[in-house]
């Protein structure tokens, strides 16, 4: 999938995910291009995050992601180089869709929480921007790169 040029945090949105409810428990099922706006190429999940620990702290050049609090809760700080927004995820039937070119930090994990991530690309370290100053420079001076 191609980079979303000149991306801003307003393009990142909370999606309400399908929920199949029953007295014996609920199911949320996600299908590429139906319940989320990209083809799923990779799934990963973060767990056993120690209290007070932050994750993320990077941007992606091409990756689209849907982040779900499969269990527990955590906050995601979104930053497009100009504006910032703090989003709380605390229900497994809501997901945060993040477009490419957005700096994100994950923080305030509750004990035992699970952060499920559906991603549009396979793992590629070259897709990361891990230096915040470099991110700011690119967004402010040459945003067409990401
Ligand atoms: P990273 O994406 O930086 O983690 P986070 O954003 O949660 O802080 O990844 C941490 C390490 O794990 C890094 O060395 C790359 C590796 N990794 C993979 O090998 N495959 C993957 O799919 C992911 C997400 C990470």
């Amino acid at each position: 999938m191609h980079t979303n040029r000149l991306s801003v945090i307003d393009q990142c949105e909370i999606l309400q995910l399908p929920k199949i409810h029953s007295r014996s428990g609920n199911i949320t099922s996600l299908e590429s291009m139906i319940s989320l706006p990209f083809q799923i190429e990779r799934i990963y999940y973060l767990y056993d995050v120690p209290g007070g620990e932050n994750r993320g702290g990077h941007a992606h050049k091409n990756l689209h992601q849907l982040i779900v609090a499969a269990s527990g809760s955590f906050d995601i700080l979104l930053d497009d180089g100009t504006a910032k927004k703090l989003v709380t995820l605390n229900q497994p039937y809501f997901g945060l869709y993040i477009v490419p070119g957005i700096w994100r930090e994950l923080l305030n994990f509750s004990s035992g929480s699970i952060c499920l991530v559906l991603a549009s690309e396979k793992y590629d370290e070259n897709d990361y921007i891990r230096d915040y100053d470099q991110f700011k420079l690119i967004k402010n001076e040459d945003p067409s790169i990401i």
Side-chain angles (χ1 to χ4, degrees), residues 1 5 16 21 23 26 36 45 54 68 70 76 80 86 94 100 102 105 113 127 136-137 143 145:
M1 188 168 290
R5 304 284 174 202
Q16 181 154 10
H21 173 74
R23 271 188 306 154
N26 301 324
L36 62 167
Y45 38 100
N54 294 350
V68 179
I76 304 176
D80 59 18
L86 190 70
F94 283 109
I102 303 291
E105 290 172 28
S113 58
D127 190 63
K136 285 281 281 185
L137 202 68
I145 293 177

Side-chain angles (χ1 to χ4, degrees), residues 11-130:
Q11 293 168 288
C12 300
E13 51 181 343
I14 301 259
L15 303 181
Q16 181 154 10
L17 308 173
K19 178 174 163 186
I20 303 159
H21 173 74
S22 115
R23 271 188 306 154
S24 51
N26 301 324
I27 298 176
T28 289
S29 166
L30 303 174
E31 298 184 10
S32 296
M33 308 307 298
I34 298 177
S35 22
L36 62 167
F38 56 85
Q39 195 74 33
I40 301 164
E41 274 297 317
R42 176 168 51 117
I43 296 171
Y44 64 91
Y45 38 100
L46 277 169
Y47 51 97
D48 291 347
V49 179
E53 200 61 62
N54 294 350
R55 302 288 312 219
H58 60 253
H60 287 282
K61 297 174 193 165
N62 286 306
L63 193 71
H64 296 246
Q65 291 173 302
L66 184 81
I67 301 188
V68 179
S71 183
S73 66
F74 48 84
D75 295 331
I76 304 176
L77 181 65
L78 300 172
D79 179 346
D80 59 18
T82 305
K84 295 184 187 194
K85 184 159 78 177
L86 190 70
V87 174
T88 298
L89 288 178
N90 55 16
Q91 296 290 351
Y93 51 87
F94 283 109
L96 176 65
Y97 170 52
I98 305 184
V99 298
I102 303 291
W103 188 270
R104 88 290 309 277
E105 290 172 28
L106 281 69
L107 44 159
N108 300 327
F109 286 87
S110 68
S111 169
S113 58
I114 298 175
C115 170
L116 174 66
V117 183
L118 311 184
S120 67
E121 310 286 340
K122 297 205 164 50
Y123 173 72
D124 176 8
E125 186 58 36
N126 291 322
D127 190 63
Y128 283 76
I129 299 168
R130 292 191 180 275

